[in-house]
Amino acid sequence: MGAGLDMDVGTFTRSIRIGRPIDEVWSVLADIDSIADWNPGVVASRTTTGQLQGEGAGRFCDLGRRMHLDEVVTEWLPPQRITFSIVETNLPFSRADIGFTLVEVDDGTEVAVSSDYSLRFGPVGRIMDAVMVRRTYARGMEGLLAGLQRHLEDPDA
């Protein structure tokens, strides 16, 4: 039965090159309350813990259309890596970790976002993932990266 559990797990990575120094990119990602300022998939956000940075800091994201999620920072390695874990949501995820990895390159910063997740509903969740969730989720991460790039490279847009 253990092999069946692995089938519930989905992973993917998307990346983008941003023409800004790594410290500037990190600063935006580390300001966890500001995600609604640059991620087009988030309508509003707010911190949910007294801690605003570092492992254990939390935020609530209103995704619109009555969808939401609560995340907590589970990895904080400035300025190279930050990971958020979804701790509560009305989306079909039973678990999801979203990690950002930043690498300094000649003309800016390479930003990769990776997701490692599983869905509720067992076999039905696997079908949902194959039919819709993975594609929709990956497009959302691509939009997130494009929004981050616009926010940093063209803040007046």
Side-chain angles (χ1 to χ4, degrees), residues 124-136:
V124 173
R126 287 192 293 277
I127 293 167
M128 289 170 51
D129 190 45
V131 171
M132 177 189 69
V133 173
R134 179 180 300 264
R135 247 188 337 267
T136 303

Side-chain angles (χ1 to χ4, degrees), residues 3-150:
L5 292 176
D6 292 340
M7 293 175 65
D8 291 337
V9 175
T11 60
F12 63 84
T13 300
R14 298 293 186 268
S15 62
I16 197 166
R17 188 162 289 195
I18 297 177
R20 304 302 304 155
I22 193 170
D23 289 336
E24 285 184 34
V25 178
W26 173 262
S27 178
V28 171
L29 292 174
D31 182 6
I32 68 168
D33 189 32
S34 73
I35 188 169
D37 294 344
W38 54 268
N39 181 348
V42 177
V43 174
S45 62
R46 61 176 159 68
T47 56
T48 56
T49 58
Q51 182 179 338
L52 302 179
Q53 294 190 332
E55 288 183 26
R59 70 178 170 203
F60 173 85
C61 296
D62 177 350
L63 307 177
R65 300 185 320 264
R66 297 187 178 171
M67 296 181 293
H68 68 271
L69 52 88
D70 277 299
E71 297 176 308
V72 66
V73 175
T74 53
E75 185 178 32
W76 182 272
L77 301 168
Q80 289 91 19
R81 186 143 175 89
I82 184 171
T83 300
F84 296 88
S85 294
I86 295 176
V87 293
E88 195 284 320
T89 184
N90 60 354
L91 299 172
F93 298 105
S94 62
R95 179 193 60 73
D97 298 318
I98 303 98
F100 292 86
T101 303
L102 285 64
V103 176
E104 199 164 18
V105 292
D106 289 340
D107 57 347
T109 305
E110 183 80 19
V111 180
V113 61
S114 300
S115 182
D116 180 1
Y117 65 96
S118 60
L119 299 180
R120 299 180 183 129
F121 316 123
V124 173
R126 287 192 293 277
I127 293 167
M128 289 170 51
D129 190 45
V131 171
M132 177 189 69
V133 173
R134 179 180 300 264
R135 247 188 337 267
T136 303
Y137 193 18
R139 271 197 313 266
M141 291 297 115
E142 290 163 6
L144 169 148
L145 288 172
L148 180 63
Q149 182 183 45
R150 271 190 307 277

